[in-house]
Amino acid sequence: MTNADFDWNSIYQFLTGPALWFTFIFFMGGLLIRVAFLFRMSRKKDRVIYNHIDMDWGLRSIFHWLIPFASASMRQQPVFTIVAFIFHTTLLAVPLLLSAHILLWEEAFGVTLWSIPDGLADGLTLVFIATALFLFLRRRIRPEVRILTSARDYALLIITTIPFITGFLAYHQWGPYEAMLILHILFGQILLILIPLTKLGHMVLFFFTRAFIGFEMGGRRGARSW
């Protein structure tokens, strides 16, 4: 079967139709279930934390870990801090604000968002790929990081990067366009499905973790957690 004979359109319609709805329902529902489960578990095992809830300390803890170099550990690793912030910023900005994705949001959910120029998105995609490569090599080269890294960690980083690589190739029509587009959509959906099931869930759990550490360190001990 040749590339021209393959029914790419049917696969595309499936991925942007039923599969897309399933992905977003699983993504949102999975995150809600995971948060609810961890909250219930914390009420059983770490009930004492709830005796020291102080939203001022909680918000200060979150804020200081969202701002580059606002915490002592970030200042101790300046290069990693810069790369990590660029990695996370581009990871969120490109998928959410790419004009082609905005059209999909409008078609599927009737939601219109502000988009960034395609040229800027193109550049940010290359920046993201470069930072992902840096983080991958850092895990391989730094002994103290390598010893804590599992095969799953490498796999998650690779899966996170594939949608950017395939999207970039599809946009520039380098290689088989239909195959690159399908792989881009497919791995994007795989990534969303994996978020509630893996460490990638820290995109939401981060805020709860930092708040709880703020309660414990500040509300209970009167000490900064940053």
Side-chain angles (χ1 to χ4, degrees), residues 154-211:
Y154 290 117
L156 288 177
L157 183 56
I158 292 171
I159 291 172
T160 303
T161 309
I162 288 176
F164 287 81
I165 296 174
T166 53
F168 183 84
L169 295 176
Y171 175 75
H172 290 280
Q173 298 190 24
W174 294 346
Y177 171 75
E178 294 87 354
M180 288 298 107
L181 180 61
I182 293 301
L183 287 173
H184 172 67
I185 299 172
L186 178 61
F187 274 93
Q189 293 178 356
I190 290 173
L191 178 60
L192 288 176
I193 289 172
L194 286 176
I195 286 174
L197 305 175
T198 65
K199 293 180 179 179
L200 298 176
H202 77 269
M203 65 177 291
V204 170
L205 299 178
F206 160 85
F207 297 95
F208 294 94
T209 302
R210 295 314 315 175

Side-chain angles (χ1 to χ4, degrees), residues 102-171:
I102 298 299
L103 293 176
L104 292 177
W105 281 97
E106 293 177 353
E107 293 176 3
F109 307 108
V111 177
T112 302
L113 299 173
W114 175 78
S115 63
I116 58 178
D118 289 346
L120 176 59
D122 212 32
L124 292 177
T125 298
L126 291 176
V127 170
F128 172 83
I129 294 171
T131 58
L133 178 60
F134 174 91
L135 295 176
F136 184 91
L137 293 176
R138 179 177 181 269
R139 287 183 177 276
R140 296 296 301 166
I141 295 172
R142 296 288 295 269
E144 69 275 22
V145 182
R146 186 174 65 248
I147 197 173
L148 299 174
T149 302
S150 66
R152 180 178 298 181
D153 295 320
Y154 290 117
L156 288 177
L157 183 56
I158 292 171
I159 291 172
T160 303
T161 309
I162 288 176
F164 287 81
I165 296 174
T166 53
F168 183 84
L169 295 176
Y171 175 75

Side-chain angles (χ1 to χ4, degrees), residues 21-41:
W21 278 101
F22 171 81
T23 298
F24 275 100
I25 291 172
F26 189 95
F27 168 69
M28 297 300 297
L31 281 177
L32 289 174
I33 291 172
R34 188 171 181 186
V35 169
F37 171 78
L38 291 175
F39 173 74
R40 182 180 179 183
M41 186 169 63

